[in-house]
Short mmCIF file of all heavy atoms in Angstrom, two decimals:
data_model
loop_
_atom_site.label_atom_id
_atom_site.label_comp_id
_atom_site.label_asym_id
_atom_site.label_seq_id
_atom_site.Cartn_x
_atom_site.Cartn_y
_atom_site.Cartn_z
N LEU C 1 -21.25 27.66 14.37
CA LEU C 1 -20.59 28.20 13.19
C LEU C 1 -21.43 29.33 12.60
O LEU C 1 -22.67 29.28 12.65
CB LEU C 1 -20.41 27.12 12.12
CG LEU C 1 -19.37 26.05 12.36
CD1 LEU C 1 -19.43 24.99 11.26
CD2 LEU C 1 -17.97 26.65 12.44
N PRO C 2 -20.78 30.34 12.02
CA PRO C 2 -21.57 31.39 11.36
C PRO C 2 -22.37 30.79 10.20
O PRO C 2 -21.92 29.84 9.57
CB PRO C 2 -20.52 32.37 10.86
CG PRO C 2 -19.22 31.65 10.91
CD PRO C 2 -19.34 30.55 11.89
N GLN C 3 -23.53 31.37 9.97
CA GLN C 3 -24.37 30.87 8.88
C GLN C 3 -24.36 31.89 7.75
O GLN C 3 -24.56 33.08 7.98
CB GLN C 3 -25.80 30.63 9.35
CG GLN C 3 -26.66 29.94 8.32
CD GLN C 3 -27.97 29.46 8.90
OE1 GLN C 3 -28.57 30.14 9.72
NE2 GLN C 3 -28.41 28.29 8.47
N GLN C 4 -24.09 31.42 6.54
CA GLN C 4 -24.09 32.28 5.37
C GLN C 4 -25.32 31.99 4.53
O GLN C 4 -25.86 30.88 4.55
CB GLN C 4 -22.81 32.09 4.56
CG GLN C 4 -21.58 32.55 5.30
CD GLN C 4 -20.33 32.43 4.45
OE1 GLN C 4 -20.37 32.14 3.26
NE2 GLN C 4 -19.19 32.68 5.07
N ASP C 5 -25.72 32.98 3.77
CA ASP C 5 -26.89 32.83 2.92
C ASP C 5 -26.49 32.17 1.61
O ASP C 5 -26.45 32.80 0.56
CB ASP C 5 -27.53 34.20 2.68
CG ASP C 5 -28.84 34.09 1.93
OD1 ASP C 5 -29.49 33.03 2.03
OD2 ASP C 5 -29.22 35.06 1.24
N ASP C 6 -26.14 30.89 1.69
CA ASP C 6 -25.82 30.16 0.48
C ASP C 6 -26.53 28.81 0.49
O ASP C 6 -27.03 28.36 1.51
CB ASP C 6 -24.32 30.01 0.26
CG ASP C 6 -23.55 29.38 1.40
OD1 ASP C 6 -24.14 29.11 2.46
OD2 ASP C 6 -22.34 29.16 1.24
N THR C 7 -26.58 28.21 -0.67
CA THR C 7 -27.26 26.93 -0.87
C THR C 7 -26.25 25.91 -1.33
O THR C 7 -25.46 26.17 -2.23
CB THR C 7 -28.39 27.08 -1.91
OG1 THR C 7 -29.32 28.06 -1.44
CG2 THR C 7 -29.10 25.76 -2.14
N TRP C 8 -26.31 24.75 -0.71
CA TRP C 8 -25.46 23.63 -1.10
C TRP C 8 -26.34 22.53 -1.66
O TRP C 8 -27.49 22.37 -1.29
CB TRP C 8 -24.69 23.09 0.09
CG TRP C 8 -23.69 24.04 0.70
CD1 TRP C 8 -23.38 25.31 0.27
CD2 TRP C 8 -22.89 23.80 1.85
NE1 TRP C 8 -22.42 25.85 1.09
CE2 TRP C 8 -22.11 24.95 2.07
CE3 TRP C 8 -22.76 22.73 2.72
CZ2 TRP C 8 -21.20 25.06 3.13
CZ3 TRP C 8 -21.86 22.83 3.77
CH2 TRP C 8 -21.08 23.98 3.96
N ILE C 9 -25.75 21.74 -2.56
CA ILE C 9 -26.44 20.59 -3.13
C ILE C 9 -25.62 19.36 -2.76
O ILE C 9 -24.39 19.37 -2.89
CB ILE C 9 -26.56 20.69 -4.66
CG1 ILE C 9 -27.09 22.05 -5.08
CG2 ILE C 9 -27.46 19.58 -5.20
CD1 ILE C 9 -26.88 22.34 -6.55
N VAL C 10 -26.28 18.31 -2.32
CA VAL C 10 -25.58 17.08 -1.94
C VAL C 10 -26.24 15.89 -2.63
O VAL C 10 -27.45 15.88 -2.85
CB VAL C 10 -25.56 16.90 -0.40
CG1 VAL C 10 -26.96 16.71 0.15
CG2 VAL C 10 -24.66 15.75 0.02
N GLY C 11 -25.42 14.91 -2.97
CA GLY C 11 -25.98 13.71 -3.58
C GLY C 11 -25.03 12.54 -3.48
O GLY C 11 -23.82 12.71 -3.28
N ILE C 12 -25.59 11.34 -3.57
CA ILE C 12 -24.82 10.10 -3.61
C ILE C 12 -24.92 9.55 -5.02
O ILE C 12 -26.02 9.45 -5.57
CB ILE C 12 -25.39 9.05 -2.63
CG1 ILE C 12 -25.36 9.56 -1.19
CG2 ILE C 12 -24.62 7.73 -2.75
CD1 ILE C 12 -26.06 8.61 -0.20
N PHE C 13 -23.77 9.19 -5.59
CA PHE C 13 -23.75 8.66 -6.95
C PHE C 13 -22.91 7.40 -6.99
O PHE C 13 -21.94 7.25 -6.27
CB PHE C 13 -23.15 9.70 -7.92
CG PHE C 13 -23.93 10.97 -7.92
CD1 PHE C 13 -23.61 12.00 -7.05
CD2 PHE C 13 -25.01 11.13 -8.76
CE1 PHE C 13 -24.35 13.16 -7.02
CE2 PHE C 13 -25.76 12.29 -8.75
CZ PHE C 13 -25.42 13.32 -7.87
N LYS C 14 -23.28 6.50 -7.85
CA LYS C 14 -22.54 5.25 -8.05
C LYS C 14 -21.94 5.33 -9.46
O LYS C 14 -22.57 4.92 -10.44
CB LYS C 14 -23.50 4.07 -7.92
CG LYS C 14 -22.83 2.76 -7.69
CD LYS C 14 -22.75 2.50 -6.22
CE LYS C 14 -22.52 1.05 -5.92
NZ LYS C 14 -21.98 0.88 -4.59
N PRO C 15 -20.71 5.89 -9.58
CA PRO C 15 -20.12 6.04 -10.92
C PRO C 15 -19.91 4.68 -11.58
O PRO C 15 -19.72 3.68 -10.89
CB PRO C 15 -18.77 6.71 -10.65
CG PRO C 15 -18.83 7.23 -9.27
CD PRO C 15 -19.85 6.40 -8.54
N PRO C 16 -19.91 4.65 -12.90
CA PRO C 16 -19.72 3.39 -13.63
C PRO C 16 -18.25 3.00 -13.69
O PRO C 16 -17.69 2.79 -14.76
CB PRO C 16 -20.29 3.71 -15.01
CG PRO C 16 -20.03 5.17 -15.16
CD PRO C 16 -20.20 5.76 -13.79
N LEU C 17 -17.59 2.97 -12.53
CA LEU C 17 -16.17 2.67 -12.45
C LEU C 17 -15.91 1.67 -11.35
O LEU C 17 -16.54 1.70 -10.30
CB LEU C 17 -15.38 3.95 -12.14
CG LEU C 17 -15.59 5.12 -13.08
CD1 LEU C 17 -15.02 6.39 -12.47
CD2 LEU C 17 -14.94 4.83 -14.41
N TRP C 18 -14.95 0.80 -11.58
CA TRP C 18 -14.53 -0.17 -10.58
C TRP C 18 -13.11 0.16 -10.16
O TRP C 18 -12.29 0.54 -10.99
CB TRP C 18 -14.57 -1.58 -11.15
CG TRP C 18 -15.98 -2.05 -11.39
CD1 TRP C 18 -16.73 -1.83 -12.51
CD2 TRP C 18 -16.80 -2.78 -10.50
NE1 TRP C 18 -17.98 -2.39 -12.37
CE2 TRP C 18 -18.04 -2.99 -11.14
CE3 TRP C 18 -16.61 -3.30 -9.23
CZ2 TRP C 18 -19.08 -3.68 -10.54
CZ3 TRP C 18 -17.65 -3.99 -8.63
CH2 TRP C 18 -18.87 -4.18 -9.29
N ILE C 19 -12.82 0.04 -8.87
CA ILE C 19 -11.45 0.24 -8.41
C ILE C 19 -10.98 -1.02 -7.70
O ILE C 19 -11.78 -1.77 -7.14
CB ILE C 19 -11.30 1.48 -7.49
CG1 ILE C 19 -12.11 1.33 -6.21
CG2 ILE C 19 -11.66 2.75 -8.23
CD1 ILE C 19 -11.85 2.42 -5.20
N SER C 20 -9.67 -1.23 -7.76
CA SER C 20 -9.08 -2.39 -7.10
C SER C 20 -7.76 -1.97 -6.51
O SER C 20 -6.90 -1.43 -7.20
CB SER C 20 -8.86 -3.52 -8.11
OG SER C 20 -8.15 -4.57 -7.49
N ASP C 21 -7.60 -2.19 -5.21
CA ASP C 21 -6.35 -1.85 -4.54
C ASP C 21 -5.61 -3.12 -4.16
O ASP C 21 -5.00 -3.21 -3.11
CB ASP C 21 -6.60 -0.95 -3.34
CG ASP C 21 -7.60 -1.56 -2.36
OD1 ASP C 21 -8.04 -2.70 -2.59
OD2 ASP C 21 -7.94 -0.89 -1.37
N GLY C 22 -5.66 -4.12 -5.02
CA GLY C 22 -5.01 -5.39 -4.76
C GLY C 22 -5.96 -6.41 -4.17
O GLY C 22 -5.66 -7.59 -4.11
N ALA C 23 -7.10 -5.97 -3.74
CA ALA C 23 -8.12 -6.88 -3.19
C ALA C 23 -9.20 -7.06 -4.25
O ALA C 23 -8.98 -6.82 -5.43
CB ALA C 23 -8.70 -6.29 -1.91
N THR C 24 -10.36 -7.44 -3.82
CA THR C 24 -11.48 -7.61 -4.73
C THR C 24 -11.90 -6.26 -5.31
O THR C 24 -12.06 -5.29 -4.57
CB THR C 24 -12.68 -8.23 -3.97
OG1 THR C 24 -12.25 -9.44 -3.36
CG2 THR C 24 -13.84 -8.49 -4.90
N PRO C 25 -12.07 -6.16 -6.62
CA PRO C 25 -12.55 -4.90 -7.21
C PRO C 25 -13.89 -4.51 -6.58
O PRO C 25 -14.71 -5.35 -6.25
CB PRO C 25 -12.72 -5.23 -8.69
CG PRO C 25 -11.83 -6.40 -8.92
CD PRO C 25 -11.85 -7.18 -7.64
N ARG C 26 -14.04 -3.20 -6.40
CA ARG C 26 -15.29 -2.72 -5.82
C ARG C 26 -15.74 -1.46 -6.55
O ARG C 26 -14.96 -0.82 -7.23
CB ARG C 26 -15.13 -2.48 -4.33
CG ARG C 26 -14.13 -1.43 -3.95
CD ARG C 26 -13.91 -1.45 -2.42
NE ARG C 26 -13.42 -0.21 -1.92
CZ ARG C 26 -12.13 0.11 -1.84
NH1 ARG C 26 -11.22 -0.73 -2.27
NH2 ARG C 26 -11.75 1.27 -1.34
N ARG C 27 -17.00 -1.16 -6.35
CA ARG C 27 -17.61 0.00 -7.01
C ARG C 27 -18.19 0.90 -5.93
O ARG C 27 -19.38 0.81 -5.61
CB ARG C 27 -18.69 -0.48 -7.97
CG ARG C 27 -19.25 0.62 -8.83
CD ARG C 27 -20.21 0.05 -9.84
NE ARG C 27 -20.86 1.14 -10.52
CZ ARG C 27 -22.10 1.11 -10.96
NH1 ARG C 27 -22.82 0.02 -10.79
NH2 ARG C 27 -22.62 2.14 -11.55
N PRO C 28 -17.37 1.79 -5.35
CA PRO C 28 -17.86 2.62 -4.26
C PRO C 28 -18.80 3.73 -4.75
O PRO C 28 -18.79 4.10 -5.92
CB PRO C 28 -16.59 3.22 -3.67
CG PRO C 28 -15.64 3.25 -4.81
CD PRO C 28 -15.97 2.04 -5.66
N SER C 29 -19.57 4.23 -3.82
CA SER C 29 -20.41 5.39 -4.07
C SER C 29 -19.60 6.64 -3.79
O SER C 29 -18.68 6.63 -2.98
CB SER C 29 -21.64 5.38 -3.15
OG SER C 29 -22.44 4.26 -3.42
N VAL C 30 -19.95 7.71 -4.46
CA VAL C 30 -19.31 9.00 -4.25
C VAL C 30 -20.37 9.95 -3.69
O VAL C 30 -21.48 10.04 -4.22
CB VAL C 30 -18.74 9.57 -5.56
CG1 VAL C 30 -18.15 10.95 -5.35
CG2 VAL C 30 -17.70 8.63 -6.14
N ILE C 31 -20.01 10.62 -2.59
CA ILE C 31 -20.89 11.63 -2.00
C ILE C 31 -20.26 12.97 -2.33
O ILE C 31 -19.07 13.18 -2.07
CB ILE C 31 -21.02 11.48 -0.46
CG1 ILE C 31 -21.53 10.08 -0.12
CG2 ILE C 31 -21.94 12.53 0.11
CD1 ILE C 31 -20.53 9.26 0.59
N VAL C 32 -21.02 13.87 -2.93
CA VAL C 32 -20.48 15.16 -3.36
C VAL C 32 -21.35 16.27 -2.77
O VAL C 32 -22.58 16.20 -2.80
CB VAL C 32 -20.46 15.28 -4.90
CG1 VAL C 32 -19.85 16.60 -5.33
CG2 VAL C 32 -19.71 14.11 -5.52
N VAL C 33 -20.66 17.30 -2.23
CA VAL C 33 -21.33 18.51 -1.72
C VAL C 33 -20.82 19.67 -2.56
O VAL C 33 -19.61 19.91 -2.62
CB VAL C 33 -21.02 18.76 -0.23
CG1 VAL C 33 -21.75 20.02 0.25
CG2 VAL C 33 -21.38 17.56 0.62
N VAL C 34 -21.73 20.38 -3.22
CA VAL C 34 -21.37 21.48 -4.11
C VAL C 34 -22.10 22.75 -3.68
O VAL C 34 -23.28 22.71 -3.33
CB VAL C 34 -21.76 21.12 -5.57
CG1 VAL C 34 -21.56 22.30 -6.51
CG2 VAL C 34 -20.98 19.92 -6.05
N GLU C 35 -21.40 23.85 -3.71
CA GLU C 35 -22.01 25.16 -3.49
C GLU C 35 -22.71 25.51 -4.79
O GLU C 35 -22.08 25.50 -5.86
CB GLU C 35 -20.92 26.18 -3.11
CG GLU C 35 -21.44 27.53 -2.68
CD GLU C 35 -21.70 28.45 -3.86
OE1 GLU C 35 -21.08 28.27 -4.91
OE2 GLU C 35 -22.55 29.32 -3.72
N SER C 36 -24.00 25.80 -4.73
CA SER C 36 -24.79 25.87 -5.96
C SER C 36 -24.52 27.08 -6.85
O SER C 36 -24.57 26.96 -8.06
CB SER C 36 -26.29 25.80 -5.64
OG SER C 36 -26.70 26.95 -4.95
N GLU C 37 -24.22 28.23 -6.27
CA GLU C 37 -24.08 29.43 -7.09
C GLU C 37 -22.86 29.39 -8.00
O GLU C 37 -22.92 29.75 -9.17
CB GLU C 37 -24.02 30.68 -6.22
CG GLU C 37 -24.01 31.96 -7.04
CD GLU C 37 -24.04 33.21 -6.19
OE1 GLU C 37 -24.31 33.13 -4.98
OE2 GLU C 37 -23.79 34.29 -6.76
N HIS C 38 -21.73 28.93 -7.47
CA HIS C 38 -20.49 28.92 -8.24
C HIS C 38 -20.03 27.52 -8.64
O HIS C 38 -19.04 27.37 -9.34
CB HIS C 38 -19.37 29.61 -7.44
CG HIS C 38 -19.70 31.02 -7.09
ND1 HIS C 38 -20.17 31.37 -5.85
CD2 HIS C 38 -19.67 32.15 -7.83
CE1 HIS C 38 -20.39 32.67 -5.83
NE2 HIS C 38 -20.10 33.17 -7.01
N GLY C 39 -20.72 26.49 -8.18
CA GLY C 39 -20.38 25.12 -8.53
C GLY C 39 -19.10 24.61 -7.89
O GLY C 39 -18.48 23.68 -8.39
N MET C 40 -18.70 25.23 -6.77
CA MET C 40 -17.48 24.80 -6.09
C MET C 40 -17.73 23.53 -5.30
O MET C 40 -18.72 23.42 -4.59
CB MET C 40 -16.99 25.89 -5.13
CG MET C 40 -16.60 27.18 -5.83
SD MET C 40 -15.99 28.43 -4.68
CE MET C 40 -17.43 28.72 -3.66
N VAL C 41 -16.80 22.57 -5.42
CA VAL C 41 -16.91 21.33 -4.66
C VAL C 41 -16.39 21.61 -3.25
O VAL C 41 -15.23 21.95 -3.06
CB VAL C 41 -16.10 20.20 -5.32
CG1 VAL C 41 -16.16 18.93 -4.46
CG2 VAL C 41 -16.62 19.92 -6.72
N LEU C 42 -17.27 21.46 -2.27
CA LEU C 42 -16.91 21.70 -0.88
C LEU C 42 -16.41 20.44 -0.19
O LEU C 42 -15.60 20.49 0.73
CB LEU C 42 -18.11 22.26 -0.13
CG LEU C 42 -18.68 23.57 -0.70
CD1 LEU C 42 -19.98 23.92 -0.02
CD2 LEU C 42 -17.67 24.68 -0.57
N MET C 43 -16.92 19.29 -0.64
CA MET C 43 -16.49 18.02 -0.05
C MET C 43 -16.87 16.92 -1.02
O MET C 43 -17.90 16.99 -1.69
CB MET C 43 -17.18 17.77 1.29
CG MET C 43 -16.78 16.50 2.00
SD MET C 43 -15.01 16.27 2.31
CE MET C 43 -14.59 17.71 3.26
N GLN C 44 -16.01 15.92 -1.08
CA GLN C 44 -16.35 14.69 -1.78
C GLN C 44 -15.81 13.54 -0.95
O GLN C 44 -14.75 13.65 -0.35
CB GLN C 44 -15.82 14.66 -3.21
CG GLN C 44 -14.32 14.70 -3.33
CD GLN C 44 -13.89 14.79 -4.79
OE1 GLN C 44 -14.63 15.28 -5.63
NE2 GLN C 44 -12.70 14.31 -5.07
N ASP C 45 -16.58 12.52 -0.86
CA ASP C 45 -16.23 11.36 -0.06
C ASP C 45 -16.57 10.12 -0.87
O ASP C 45 -17.39 10.17 -1.78
CB ASP C 45 -17.06 11.34 1.23
CG ASP C 45 -16.23 11.60 2.47
OD1 ASP C 45 -15.00 11.44 2.43
OD2 ASP C 45 -16.82 11.96 3.50
N MET C 46 -15.94 9.03 -0.51
CA MET C 46 -16.28 7.75 -1.13
C MET C 46 -16.63 6.78 -0.01
O MET C 46 -16.04 6.83 1.07
CB MET C 46 -15.11 7.22 -1.94
CG MET C 46 -14.79 8.08 -3.14
SD MET C 46 -13.43 7.42 -4.10
CE MET C 46 -14.32 6.21 -5.06
#
């Protein structure tokens, strides 16, 4: 892939929220990748 001169920031966070989809409530982690200069979210995963 082409490489651009930009910086990304990545982190894992455990938000203070519980979700339940009919099963046992759970508290997933969120992984977020942000482009640092403009603060654009490039990816978020749980």
